[in-house]
Amino acid sequence: MKVKKTMLLYGAAGYTGKIIAARAKELSLDFEIAGREPIKIKELAEELNVPYHVFTVDDGDAWVNALKDKQVLLNAAGPFRFTAKQAMDACLKAGVHYIDISAELETYQLAESLDEEAKTAGIQLISGAGLFVSYDALVVHLSKSVEEPKQLKMGFRHYGGFSKGSVLSSKNIADLGVLVRKDGLITKSENPLPKVFSFGEEDVECLPTPLGGIILSYKSTGIPNIQEYFSLKLPATELSDLNLEKLPEGPTADERAKGRNAISGEITGKDGKVLKAWIDAPSGYDLTPLSVMAVANRILNNDFKIGYQSPGSAYGEEIIKDIPDTYLIDSKISE
Ligand SMILES: NC(=O)c1ccc[n+]([C@@H]2O[C@H](COP(=O)([O-])OP(=O)(O)OC[C@H]3O[C@@H](n4cnc5c(N)ncnc54)[C@H](OP(=O)(O)O)[C@@H]3O)[C@@H](O)[C@H]2O)c1
Protein backbone atom coordinates (compact mmCIF):
# COMPACT_ATOMS: atom_id res chain seq x y z
CA MET A 1 0.00 0.00 0.00
CA LYS A 2 1.29 3.47 -0.90
CA VAL A 3 1.99 5.58 2.20
CA LYS A 4 0.04 8.85 2.29
CA LYS A 5 2.34 11.85 2.28
CA THR A 6 1.82 14.47 4.96
CA MET A 7 3.17 17.73 6.38
CA LEU A 8 5.67 18.20 9.20
CA LEU A 9 5.37 21.44 11.19
CA TYR A 10 8.66 22.28 12.98
CA GLY A 11 8.57 24.95 15.71
CA ALA A 12 4.92 24.03 16.27
CA ALA A 13 4.86 25.08 19.93
CA GLY A 14 5.83 28.71 19.28
CA TYR A 15 3.23 31.47 19.32
CA THR A 16 2.70 31.44 15.53
CA GLY A 17 3.36 27.70 15.19
CA LYS A 18 0.39 26.97 17.46
CA ILE A 19 -1.94 29.14 15.34
CA ILE A 20 -0.65 27.40 12.19
CA ALA A 21 -1.26 24.00 13.82
CA ALA A 22 -4.81 25.05 14.69
CA ARG A 23 -5.39 26.08 11.07
CA ALA A 24 -4.00 22.76 9.80
CA LYS A 25 -6.37 20.95 12.15
CA GLU A 26 -9.27 23.12 10.99
CA LEU A 27 -8.45 22.05 7.41
CA SER A 28 -8.47 18.39 8.55
CA LEU A 29 -4.96 17.94 7.20
CA ASP A 30 -2.87 14.93 7.96
CA PHE A 31 0.19 16.38 9.72
CA GLU A 32 2.78 15.82 12.43
CA ILE A 33 4.46 18.35 14.68
CA ALA A 34 8.02 18.81 15.89
CA GLY A 35 10.16 21.09 18.01
CA ARG A 36 13.05 21.07 20.45
CA GLU A 37 11.19 21.42 23.73
CA PRO A 38 9.72 18.04 24.87
CA ILE A 39 7.02 19.18 27.29
CA LYS A 40 5.52 21.86 25.03
CA ILE A 41 5.54 19.58 21.96
CA LYS A 42 4.05 16.59 23.78
CA GLU A 43 1.28 18.71 25.31
CA LEU A 44 0.41 20.28 21.96
CA ALA A 45 0.44 16.90 20.19
CA GLU A 46 -1.98 15.51 22.77
CA GLU A 47 -4.23 18.54 22.40
CA LEU A 48 -4.25 18.20 18.59
CA ASN A 49 -4.18 14.41 18.58
CA VAL A 50 -1.30 14.28 16.07
CA PRO A 51 2.05 12.40 16.08
CA TYR A 52 5.08 14.34 17.31
CA HIS A 53 8.89 14.42 17.18
CA VAL A 54 11.24 16.12 19.63
CA PHE A 55 14.68 17.09 18.32
CA THR A 56 17.02 20.03 17.99
CA VAL A 57 17.50 21.60 14.60
CA ASP A 58 21.10 20.27 14.35
CA ASP A 59 20.08 16.61 14.72
CA GLY A 60 20.49 15.22 11.20
CA ASP A 61 19.35 11.67 12.03
CA ALA A 62 16.20 12.98 13.70
CA TRP A 63 15.39 15.04 10.60
CA VAL A 64 15.71 11.91 8.43
CA ASN A 65 13.27 10.07 10.67
CA ALA A 66 10.79 12.94 11.03
CA LEU A 67 10.76 13.75 7.30
CA LYS A 68 10.10 10.15 6.27
CA ASP A 69 6.87 9.98 4.24
CA LYS A 70 6.42 13.76 4.37
CA GLN A 71 5.65 15.84 1.32
CA VAL A 72 6.36 19.23 2.85
CA LEU A 73 8.15 20.72 5.84
CA LEU A 74 6.68 23.92 7.25
CA ASN A 75 9.36 25.57 9.37
CA ALA A 76 7.89 27.98 11.95
CA ALA A 77 10.96 28.06 14.23
CA GLY A 78 12.44 31.54 14.19
CA PRO A 79 14.65 33.55 14.29
CA PHE A 80 15.23 31.64 11.05
CA ARG A 81 18.89 32.56 10.83
CA PHE A 82 19.34 29.80 13.45
CA THR A 83 17.08 27.15 11.89
CA ALA A 84 16.59 27.63 8.12
CA LYS A 85 19.92 26.24 6.94
CA GLN A 86 19.61 22.98 8.88
CA ALA A 87 15.96 22.54 7.91
CA MET A 88 16.60 23.29 4.22
CA ASP A 89 19.56 20.88 4.15
CA ALA A 90 17.38 18.17 5.72
CA CYS A 91 14.70 18.74 3.06
CA LEU A 92 17.24 18.61 0.24
CA LYS A 93 18.51 15.30 1.61
CA ALA A 94 15.04 13.84 2.11
CA GLY A 95 13.50 15.18 -1.13
CA VAL A 96 10.80 17.02 0.86
CA HIS A 97 9.46 20.46 -0.16
CA TYR A 98 10.40 23.34 2.17
CA ILE A 99 8.43 26.40 3.22
CA ASP A 100 8.85 28.79 6.12
CA ILE A 101 7.36 32.02 7.46
CA SER A 102 10.63 33.91 7.73
CA ALA A 103 10.72 37.68 7.35
CA GLU A 104 14.53 37.64 7.39
CA LEU A 105 16.17 38.62 4.12
CA GLU A 106 19.18 36.39 4.67
CA THR A 107 17.06 33.22 4.63
CA TYR A 108 15.53 34.31 1.31
CA GLN A 109 19.05 34.66 -0.04
CA LEU A 110 19.95 31.29 1.42
CA ALA A 111 17.04 29.68 -0.46
CA GLU A 112 18.12 31.53 -3.61
CA SER A 113 21.65 30.16 -3.25
CA LEU A 114 20.28 26.59 -3.03
CA ASP A 115 18.34 26.78 -6.32
CA GLU A 116 20.41 24.19 -8.16
CA GLU A 117 20.43 21.78 -5.22
CA ALA A 118 16.64 22.12 -4.90
CA LYS A 119 16.18 21.37 -8.60
CA THR A 120 18.42 18.31 -8.32
CA ALA A 121 16.46 17.12 -5.27
CA GLY A 122 13.17 17.80 -7.08
CA ILE A 123 11.86 20.07 -4.33
CA GLN A 124 10.32 23.53 -4.08
CA LEU A 125 12.13 25.85 -1.68
CA ILE A 126 10.25 28.94 -0.44
CA SER A 127 11.47 31.05 2.44
CA GLY A 128 8.89 33.76 3.20
CA ALA A 129 5.55 31.98 2.67
CA GLY A 130 3.78 33.86 5.48
CA LEU A 131 2.74 37.49 5.19
CA PHE A 132 4.45 37.73 1.81
CA VAL A 133 2.06 35.39 0.03
CA SER A 134 -0.68 37.99 -0.47
CA TYR A 135 1.93 40.78 -0.70
CA ASP A 136 3.65 39.01 -3.58
CA ALA A 137 0.33 38.17 -5.25
CA LEU A 138 -0.43 41.91 -5.26
CA VAL A 139 2.95 42.64 -6.84
CA VAL A 140 2.37 40.05 -9.58
CA HIS A 141 -1.06 41.56 -10.21
CA LEU A 142 0.37 45.08 -10.48
CA SER A 143 3.26 43.97 -12.67
CA LYS A 144 0.77 42.71 -15.25
CA SER A 145 -1.20 45.98 -15.27
CA VAL A 146 1.47 48.16 -16.89
CA GLU A 147 3.80 47.68 -19.82
CA GLU A 148 7.40 46.99 -18.75
CA PRO A 149 7.15 47.73 -15.04
CA LYS A 150 10.03 49.96 -13.99
CA GLN A 151 9.35 50.95 -10.40
CA LEU A 152 7.42 49.46 -7.48
CA LYS A 153 6.58 51.08 -4.15
CA MET A 154 4.94 48.90 -1.51
CA GLY A 155 3.42 50.03 1.80
CA PHE A 156 2.52 47.60 4.58
CA ARG A 157 0.11 48.55 7.37
CA HIS A 158 0.52 46.06 10.18
CA TYR A 159 -2.10 45.43 12.86
CA GLY A 160 -1.99 43.24 15.94
CA GLY A 161 1.29 43.98 17.72
CA PHE A 162 4.25 41.63 17.67
CA SER A 163 5.03 38.23 19.15
CA LYS A 164 8.19 37.84 21.22
CA GLY A 165 9.68 35.79 18.36
CA SER A 166 8.96 38.56 15.85
CA VAL A 167 10.56 41.19 18.09
CA LEU A 168 13.71 39.06 18.28
CA SER A 169 13.74 38.24 14.57
CA SER A 170 13.15 41.82 13.44
CA LYS A 171 16.64 42.65 14.70
CA ASN A 172 17.98 40.66 11.73
CA ILE A 173 16.07 42.99 9.43
CA ALA A 174 16.75 46.24 11.29
CA ASP A 175 20.51 45.56 11.33
CA LEU A 176 20.60 45.60 7.52
CA GLY A 177 19.57 49.26 7.30
CA VAL A 178 17.22 50.55 4.60
CA LEU A 179 17.81 48.28 1.62
CA VAL A 180 16.10 48.81 -1.74
CA ARG A 181 16.32 47.22 -5.18
CA LYS A 182 17.86 49.72 -7.59
CA ASP A 183 18.48 48.96 -11.27
CA GLY A 184 18.23 45.27 -10.43
CA LEU A 185 20.68 45.32 -7.51
CA ILE A 186 20.14 45.36 -3.75
CA THR A 187 21.61 48.53 -2.36
CA LYS A 188 21.34 50.88 0.65
CA SER A 189 18.76 53.59 0.10
CA GLU A 190 20.37 56.95 -0.60
CA ASN A 191 17.36 58.90 0.54
CA PRO A 192 15.15 56.94 2.96
CA LEU A 193 12.18 59.25 3.46
CA PRO A 194 8.70 58.28 4.74
CA LYS A 195 5.86 58.01 2.21
CA VAL A 196 2.09 58.17 2.52
CA PHE A 197 0.13 55.16 1.20
CA SER A 198 -3.61 54.81 0.72
CA PHE A 199 -5.26 51.77 2.23
CA GLY A 200 -8.80 52.21 1.00
CA GLU A 201 -10.24 55.18 2.88
CA GLU A 202 -7.20 55.54 5.11
CA ASP A 203 -3.94 57.30 4.31
CA VAL A 204 -0.96 56.27 6.45
CA GLU A 205 2.58 57.59 6.52
CA CYS A 206 4.93 54.58 6.33
CA LEU A 207 8.65 54.34 7.07
CA PRO A 208 11.22 53.04 4.55
CA THR A 209 11.89 49.42 5.59
CA PRO A 210 13.13 46.39 3.62
CA LEU A 211 10.33 43.82 3.91
CA GLY A 212 11.46 41.03 1.63
CA GLY A 213 9.81 42.12 -1.60
CA ILE A 214 13.22 43.33 -2.76
CA ILE A 215 14.14 39.64 -2.98
CA LEU A 216 10.85 37.73 -3.25
CA SER A 217 8.95 40.10 -5.55
CA TYR A 218 12.07 40.60 -7.65
CA LYS A 219 12.13 36.84 -8.12
CA SER A 220 8.41 36.89 -9.01
CA THR A 221 8.48 39.80 -11.45
CA GLY A 222 12.01 41.07 -12.15
CA ILE A 223 10.89 44.68 -11.48
CA PRO A 224 14.28 46.46 -11.33
CA ASN A 225 13.43 49.17 -8.76
CA ILE A 226 11.61 48.25 -5.54
CA GLN A 227 11.13 50.35 -2.42
CA GLU A 228 9.26 49.12 0.65
CA TYR A 229 7.65 50.89 3.59
CA PHE A 230 6.18 49.77 6.92
CA SER A 231 3.56 51.54 9.04
CA LEU A 232 5.54 51.02 12.26
CA LYS A 233 9.11 51.07 13.46
CA LEU A 234 10.51 47.53 13.49
CA PRO A 235 10.18 46.47 17.14
CA ALA A 236 13.88 45.54 17.42
CA THR A 237 14.85 49.16 16.83
CA GLU A 238 13.36 49.78 20.28
CA LEU A 239 14.78 46.59 21.77
CA SER A 240 16.97 48.36 24.30
CA ASP A 241 13.81 49.89 25.79
CA LEU A 242 12.10 46.51 25.99
CA ASN A 243 12.52 43.80 28.54
CA LEU A 244 12.06 40.74 26.33
CA GLU A 245 11.31 38.46 29.29
CA LYS A 246 8.37 40.61 30.28
CA LEU A 247 6.82 40.69 26.81
CA PRO A 248 3.69 38.55 26.27
CA GLU A 249 4.07 35.61 23.83
CA GLY A 250 1.98 37.61 21.36
CA PRO A 251 -1.42 39.27 20.93
CA THR A 252 -4.52 37.37 22.13
CA ALA A 253 -7.10 36.13 19.62
CA ASP A 254 -9.42 38.97 20.71
CA GLU A 255 -6.70 41.57 20.17
CA ARG A 256 -5.91 40.13 16.73
CA ALA A 257 -9.57 40.26 15.72
CA LYS A 258 -9.92 43.99 16.45
CA GLY A 259 -8.15 45.24 13.32
CA ARG A 260 -6.87 44.33 9.89
CA ASN A 261 -3.67 44.35 7.88
CA ALA A 262 -3.43 46.19 4.59
CA ILE A 263 -0.85 46.19 1.81
CA SER A 264 -0.72 48.92 -0.79
CA GLY A 265 1.24 48.93 -4.04
CA GLU A 266 2.07 51.53 -6.66
CA ILE A 267 3.66 50.53 -9.94
CA THR A 268 5.14 52.67 -12.71
CA GLY A 269 5.38 51.41 -16.28
CA LYS A 270 7.83 52.46 -18.99
CA ASP A 271 5.41 55.16 -20.19
CA GLY A 272 5.35 56.71 -16.69
CA LYS A 273 1.81 55.52 -16.01
CA VAL A 274 1.23 54.75 -12.30
CA LEU A 275 -1.30 52.13 -11.19
CA LYS A 276 -2.30 51.33 -7.63
CA ALA A 277 -4.00 48.45 -5.87
CA TRP A 278 -4.25 47.26 -2.31
CA ILE A 279 -5.04 44.27 -0.16
CA ASP A 280 -7.38 44.12 2.79
CA ALA A 281 -6.59 41.13 5.01
CA PRO A 282 -6.91 39.77 8.55
CA SER A 283 -4.38 41.07 11.08
CA GLY A 284 -0.79 39.74 10.95
CA TYR A 285 -0.84 36.65 13.16
CA ASP A 286 -4.12 35.48 11.63
CA LEU A 287 -3.01 36.22 8.07
CA THR A 288 0.28 34.29 8.34
CA PRO A 289 -1.30 30.91 9.24
CA LEU A 290 -4.01 31.33 6.58
CA SER A 291 -1.35 32.19 3.98
CA VAL A 292 1.25 29.54 4.76
CA MET A 293 -1.41 26.85 4.95
CA ALA A 294 -2.72 27.96 1.54
CA VAL A 295 0.78 27.26 0.16
CA ALA A 296 1.17 23.99 2.10
CA ASN A 297 -2.21 22.84 0.79
CA ARG A 298 -1.14 23.52 -2.80
CA ILE A 299 1.99 21.42 -2.28
CA LEU A 300 0.02 18.61 -0.66
CA ASN A 301 -2.12 18.66 -3.80
CA ASN A 302 1.02 18.30 -5.94
CA ASP A 303 1.02 21.93 -7.08
CA PHE A 304 4.65 23.11 -6.90
CA LYS A 305 7.60 24.24 -9.02
CA ILE A 306 10.97 22.80 -8.26
CA GLY A 307 13.92 25.01 -7.29
CA TYR A 308 14.08 28.27 -5.35
CA GLN A 309 10.72 30.01 -5.58
CA SER A 310 8.91 33.00 -4.16
CA PRO A 311 5.17 32.78 -3.39
CA GLY A 312 4.51 34.76 -6.58
CA SER A 313 6.84 32.77 -8.85
CA ALA A 314 5.23 29.53 -7.68
CA TYR A 315 1.57 30.54 -7.55
CA GLY A 316 1.08 33.95 -9.20
CA GLU A 317 -1.73 36.22 -8.08
CA GLU A 318 -4.25 33.36 -8.06
CA ILE A 319 -3.10 32.14 -4.63
CA ILE A 320 -4.91 35.08 -3.06
CA LYS A 321 -8.19 33.26 -3.69
CA ASP A 322 -6.95 30.48 -1.40
CA ILE A 323 -6.49 32.88 1.55
CA PRO A 324 -9.76 33.36 3.43
CA ASP A 325 -11.09 36.87 4.14
CA THR A 326 -8.37 38.48 1.99
CA TYR A 327 -9.24 40.83 -0.88
CA LEU A 328 -7.30 42.51 -3.68
CA ILE A 329 -8.80 45.88 -4.66
CA ASP A 330 -7.73 47.90 -7.71
CA SER A 331 -7.67 51.66 -7.15
CA LYS A 332 -9.48 53.60 -9.84
CA ILE A 333 -6.83 56.33 -9.88
CA SER A 334 -4.22 56.44 -12.62
CA GLU A 335 -1.80 59.31 -13.09
N1 LIG B 1 6.51 37.03 8.06
C1 LIG B 1 5.54 36.38 8.65
O1 LIG B 1 4.56 36.06 8.02
C2 LIG B 1 5.65 36.00 10.09
C3 LIG B 1 4.53 36.02 10.92
C4 LIG B 1 4.66 35.56 12.22
C5 LIG B 1 5.89 35.14 12.71
N2 LIG B 1 6.96 35.19 11.86
C6 LIG B 1 8.27 34.73 12.30
O2 LIG B 1 8.14 33.40 12.77
C7 LIG B 1 9.07 33.15 13.80
C8 LIG B 1 8.37 32.55 14.99
O3 LIG B 1 7.52 33.51 15.54
P1 LIG B 1 6.70 33.18 16.84
O4 LIG B 1 5.77 34.29 17.01
O5 LIG B 1 6.11 31.83 16.76
O6 LIG B 1 7.85 33.20 17.94
P2 LIG B 1 8.01 32.35 19.27
O7 LIG B 1 6.72 32.30 19.99
O8 LIG B 1 9.20 32.87 19.96
O9 LIG B 1 8.30 30.86 18.76
C9 LIG B 1 9.48 30.52 18.16
C10 LIG B 1 9.51 29.01 18.00
O10 LIG B 1 10.72 28.66 17.34
C11 LIG B 1 11.45 27.75 18.14
N3 LIG B 1 12.87 28.02 17.99
C12 LIG B 1 13.50 29.21 18.06
N4 LIG B 1 14.81 29.07 17.87
C13 LIG B 1 15.02 27.75 17.67
C14 LIG B 1 16.17 26.97 17.43
N5 LIG B 1 17.38 27.53 17.34
N6 LIG B 1 16.02 25.65 17.28
C15 LIG B 1 14.81 25.07 17.34
N7 LIG B 1 13.67 25.76 17.59
C16 LIG B 1 13.78 27.07 17.75
C17 LIG B 1 10.99 28.00 19.55
O11 LIG B 1 11.23 26.86 20.33
P3 LIG B 1 11.25 26.93 21.93
O12 LIG B 1 9.81 27.01 22.34
O13 LIG B 1 11.90 25.66 22.31
O14 LIG B 1 12.04 28.16 22.29
C18 LIG B 1 9.50 28.26 19.32
O15 LIG B 1 8.81 27.05 19.15
C19 LIG B 1 9.76 34.49 14.06
O16 LIG B 1 10.97 34.51 13.36
C20 LIG B 1 8.81 35.51 13.47
O17 LIG B 1 9.46 36.67 13.03
C21 LIG B 1 6.87 35.62 10.58
Side-chain angles (χ1 to χ4, degrees):
M1 197 182 79
K2 201 163 177 276
V3 180
K4 195 169 174 221
K5 296 215 167 181
T6 58
M7 177 180 89
L8 180 71
L9 171 60
Y10 189 80
Y15 171 78
T16 311
K18 278 194 263 190
I19 311 175
I20 294 171
R23 174 66 181 156
K25 198 74 191 166
E26 188 182 38
L27 292 170
S28 304
L29 281 191
D30 211 353
F31 70 107
E32 298 177 11
I33 63 166
R36 64 180 170 181
E37 216 281 312
I39 297 173
K40 288 192 219 166
I41 290 293
K42 186 165 180 288
E43 269 179 17
L44 183 63
E46 280 167 6
E47 199 182 299
L48 296 165
N49 193 22
V50 296
Y52 70 94
H53 309 259
V54 177
F55 59 95
T56 62
V57 77
D58 295 313
D59 188 340
D61 291 341
W63 274 118
V64 171
N65 180 44
L67 288 176
K68 210 164 76 185
D69 302 328
K70 302 299 178 304
Q71 189 155 0
V72 58
L73 170 70
L74 195 174
N75 182 12
F80 292 91
R81 71 188 307 179
F82 302 124
T83 68
K85 175 84 174 76
Q86 298 91 322
M88 285 182 197
D89 284 348
C91 283
L92 289 168
K93 209 169 150 191
V96 168
H97 302 294
Y98 174 93
I99 53 178
D100 70 31
I101 56 166
S102 173
E104 295 156 52
L105 274 63
E106 62 185 300
T107 65
Y108 304 164
Q109 286 169 322
L110 174 65
E112 190 176 17
S113 74
L114 294 172
D115 183 40
E116 281 309 315
E117 285 90 332
K119 283 180 182 147
T120 306
I123 67 165
Q124 173 170 280
L125 201 55
I126 305 183
S127 181
L131 291 174
F132 291 108
V133 179
S134 49
Y135 184 105
D136 214 21
L138 173 61
V139 176
V140 172
H141 173 76
L142 282 167
S143 74
K144 292 196 287 192
S145 340
V146 295
E147 204 182 326
E148 257 187 66
K150 293 285 182 204
Q151 165 104 39
L152 174 73
K153 294 185 181 174
M154 296 293 293
F156 195 115
R157 189 195 70 198
H158 175 74
Y159 181 85
F162 295 101
S163 70
K164 212 185 266 192
S166 292
V167 174
L168 259 181
S169 303
S170 74
K171 180 156 178 17
N172 300 343
I173 308 164
D175 285 351
L176 299 172
V178 180
L179 298 179
V180 295
R181 178 79 59 175
K182 190 170 177 224
D183 299 328
L185 298 175
I186 293 176
T187 171
K188 278 232 160 121
S189 171
E190 286 155 14
N191 195 17
L193 295 174
K195 172 174 165 52
V196 174
F197 284 87
S198 294
F199 303 97
E201 300 290 292
E202 193 191 21
D203 287 349
V204 179
E205 185 175 81
C206 297
L207 305 168
T209 312
L211 295 174
I214 55 170
I215 297 173
L216 298 176
S217 300
Y218 183 70
K219 162 77 177 162
S220 312
T221 64
I223 299 170
N225 298 293
I226 302 175
Q227 292 161 23
E228 300 175 286
Y229 299 80
F230 195 51
S231 59
L232 302 166
K233 271 190 190 169
L234 288 175
T237 56
E238 298 171 310
L239 204 56
S240 55
D241 304 333
L242 296 169
N243 184 340
L244 207 55
E245 287 305 307
K246 286 198 182 143
L247 285 180
E249 292 303 309
T252 63
D254 283 348
E255 283 163 350
R256 298 198 304 264
K258 284 191 182 127
R260 293 182 66 80
N261 266 27
I263 307 161
S264 179
E266 303 181 4
I267 197 151
T268 312
K270 85 167 178 192
D271 57 1
K273 190 169 161 192
V274 180
L275 283 180
K276 300 181 186 181
W278 69 290
I279 279 178
D280 172 40
S283 66
Y285 295 96
D286 286 326
L287 179 58
T288 293
L290 295 173
S291 307
V292 76
M293 285 314 305
V295 173
N297 229 340
R298 289 279 190 127
I299 297 172
L300 290 168
N301 285 297
N302 289 319
D303 181 358
F304 57 83
K305 281 187 191 152
I306 62 168
Y308 155 65
Q309 300 294 338
S310 60
S313 70
Y315 301 110
E317 63 180 291
E318 290 300 306
I319 187 85
I320 206 152
K321 295 188 187 133
D322 297 10
I323 308 174
D325 197 20
T326 299
Y327 314 95
L328 195 161
I329 303 138
D330 280 308
S331 303
K332 298 267 179 307
I333 322 136
S334 71
E335 291 157 20

